[in-house]
Amino acid sequence: MVNFKKLWTKKTLLGLALGQFLSLLITSTGFSSSELARRGINAPTSQSFANYVLLAIVYGAMVIYRKKGLKAKWYYYILLGIVDVEANYLVVKAYQYTSLTSVMLLDCWTIPCVIFLTWFFLKTKYRLKKFVGVAICVAGLVLVVFSDAYSSDSAAGSSPVKGDFLVIAGSVLYAVSNVSEEFIVTNTDRIELMAMLGLFGAIVSACQISILERQELRSIHWSAGAVLPFIGFALAMFLFYSFVPIVLKHSGSTMLNLALLTSDMWAVFIRIFAYDQKVDWMYFISFAAVAVGLIIYSWGSREDDKGKVQVAEETAEQSNTMDVETAIGNTVQGSTVGSSRPGDGKHDSAPSAPQGIVVTDC
């Protein structure tokens, strides 16, 4: 029986609140991009540029104040900045061709990509239920593509299939960016990562804007209706980038994934009530499939973490036992041969310690 008093703790409620805050931030970025696309403004790199500048200014000031050198190589951050900028570019570009709901749902393609990349590069092991959950998610995403391909409603966008594939390509790059951030942040810290990502992301964005979007920016009539979505997108992205590590530390990846899933629900509500548009029935089936898939994927993560901790404790205990046995053996050996060797023993060579065992689990 579920203990609801234990379930609805202050920590759980705070995690839910923070998760929904991130979900609303993601929805607001989609709403801003959709508004700009509706006004004929096609400048996806320019939308993300302000976010990177804010990250560079705020977190860069913290890095300078600490007066510490970088813990990771600077060229890693350049590569990460390029991947992150192009991921944002492709996804924002997709709003020119497909609907808000399709973009929000197809973003979930990041999950199977992350699984593959962590399994291939980080050697993370996954259980069968993880793959079952991913398969259900992918099935739901396929429904979205088919719905857009055969939709006769203009709300689906000018070229829905093209937009869907742009989102999928952007999701792949998001996965590369996420796995790279996971690898880097384990060796550095959140402040340095955000500062360097903002710095090099701003530089890459500025170069791309000067090449691809100069004419588009000149042709924009900068009214309040055009400026406000730009500002809203930048602020929402900055807050999202800043709060994601906090939610991961507080509630874990399971709560984050389930919370961000509700952004699709908010997107449907916006499309129905704000734009007065009809939503194809396949969207609801797709949403249900993605929800079920993510729940199956996330189910039991706490048990997996406990298993990883138990394995680590057993490994540490085994290592300590080996250290004790080695020390006893050295003591016995020293008492036997030490009297025939000159010196006080402090300058004698010590035996090599046993190598640690690295265990990787989901």
Side-chain angles (χ1 to χ4, degrees):
M1 182 179 294
V2 179
N3 189 347
F4 289 98
K5 291 183 177 180
K6 187 176 180 180
L7 178 63
W8 297 107
T9 60
K10 182 179 180 180
K11 181 177 180 180
T12 302
L13 293 176
L14 181 60
L16 288 172
L18 288 174
Q20 289 308 298
F21 177 63
L22 289 181
S23 180
L24 287 173
L25 288 176
I26 284 294
T27 306
S28 63
T29 60
F31 179 75
S32 300
S33 298
S34 182
E35 272 294 308
L36 291 172
R38 190 171 65 89
R39 294 176 178 272
I41 299 175
N42 181 19
T45 310
S46 301
Q47 289 181 228
S48 303
F49 175 72
N51 166 53
Y52 293 119
V53 172
L54 287 174
L55 289 174
I57 293 174
V58 174
Y59 292 101
M62 297 181 185
V63 171
I64 294 174
Y65 177 78
R66 295 190 304 184
K67 298 180 179 179
K68 295 181 180 179
L70 296 180
K71 298 179 181 179
K73 300 296 184 180
W74 58 270
Y75 47 82
Y76 290 154
Y77 292 117
I78 292 180
L79 296 176
L80 178 61
I82 293 174
V83 171
D84 199 73
V85 167
E86 298 310 319
N88 287 326
Y89 173 82
L90 290 174
V91 172
V92 175
K93 184 75 172 178
Y95 286 99
Q96 302 290 327
Y97 304 103
T98 190
S99 66
L100 171 65
T101 314
S102 296
V103 175
M104 303 299 288
L105 283 173
L106 288 170
D107 265 345
C108 295
W109 177 252
T110 303
I111 295 175
C113 296
V114 167
I115 290 178
F116 173 77
L117 291 174
T118 53
W119 168 77
F120 188 80
F121 292 103
L122 303 183
K123 306 304 179 182
T124 304
K125 297 180 181 179
Y126 294 96
R127 296 184 178 181
L128 178 61
K129 62 184 176 183
K130 302 287 187 180
F131 293 102
V132 173
V134 171
I136 297 177
C137 285
V138 173
L141 301 181
V142 171
L143 286 178
V144 176
V145 177
F146 277 112
S147 176
D148 282 345
Y150 295 102
S151 176
S152 59
D153 187 5
S154 61
S158 59
S159 182
V161 177
K162 181 179 180 180
D164 291 345
F165 280 105
L166 284 176
V167 179
I168 293 174
S171 298
V172 173
L173 292 182
Y174 273 139
V176 175
S177 177
N178 292 339
V179 174
S180 300
E181 288 179 19
E182 178 183 351
F183 176 77
I184 293 175
V185 80
T186 55
N187 300 301
T188 61
D189 59 78
R190 183 178 67 93
I191 303 300
E192 178 182 316
L193 175 62
M194 292 293 99
M196 294 299 102
L197 178 60
L199 174 62
F200 292 111
I203 294 174
V204 173
S205 297
C207 295
Q208 187 160 309
I209 290 172
S210 64
I211 298 173
L212 300 178
E213 299 181 5
R214 284 186 300 173
Q215 297 298 327
E216 182 66 29
L217 292 177
R218 291 175 182 174
S219 63
I220 296 176
H221 176 65
W222 292 104
S223 62
V227 174
L228 290 178
F230 266 99
I231 297 176
F233 182 90
L235 292 177
M237 286 291 288
F238 172 77
L239 292 174
F240 180 81
Y241 273 61
S242 300
F243 275 90
V244 161
I246 298 176
V247 175
L248 286 174
K249 183 178 180 180
H250 182 272
S251 303
S253 59
T254 300
M255 180 69 76
L256 177 63
N257 287 332
L258 293 177
L260 292 182
L261 178 63
T262 59
S263 64
D264 303 324
M265 179 184 66
W266 299 122
V268 171
F269 287 155
I270 289 176
R271 184 171 175 181
I272 294 174
F273 296 105
Y275 293 110
D276 194 24
Q277 296 173 353
K278 295 181 180 180
V279 178
D280 191 85
W281 61 272
M282 294 183 70
Y283 279 120
F284 297 101
I285 298 179
S286 176
F287 177 80
V290 172
V292 171
L294 285 178
I295 291 174
I296 294 175
Y297 169 79
S298 302
W299 197 270
S301 295
R302 184 177 298 273
E303 285 75 10
D304 293 340
D305 293 339
K306 289 181 179 179
K308 180 163 56 173
V309 171
Q310 184 178 0
V311 170
E313 290 177 351
E314 292 176 354
T315 303
E317 183 179 355
Q318 180 181 3
S319 179
N320 291 335
T321 303
M322 294 172 63
D323 290 341
V324 171
E325 292 177 352
T326 303
I328 294 175
N330 291 339
T331 302
V332 173
Q333 182 179 2
S335 62
T336 304
V337 301
S339 56
S340 61
R341 181 177 300 177
D344 57 1
K346 294 183 180 179
H347 302 286
D348 297 341
S349 299
S352 301
Q355 298 294 325
I357 302 174
V358 179
V359 179
T360 304
D361 195 5
C362 177

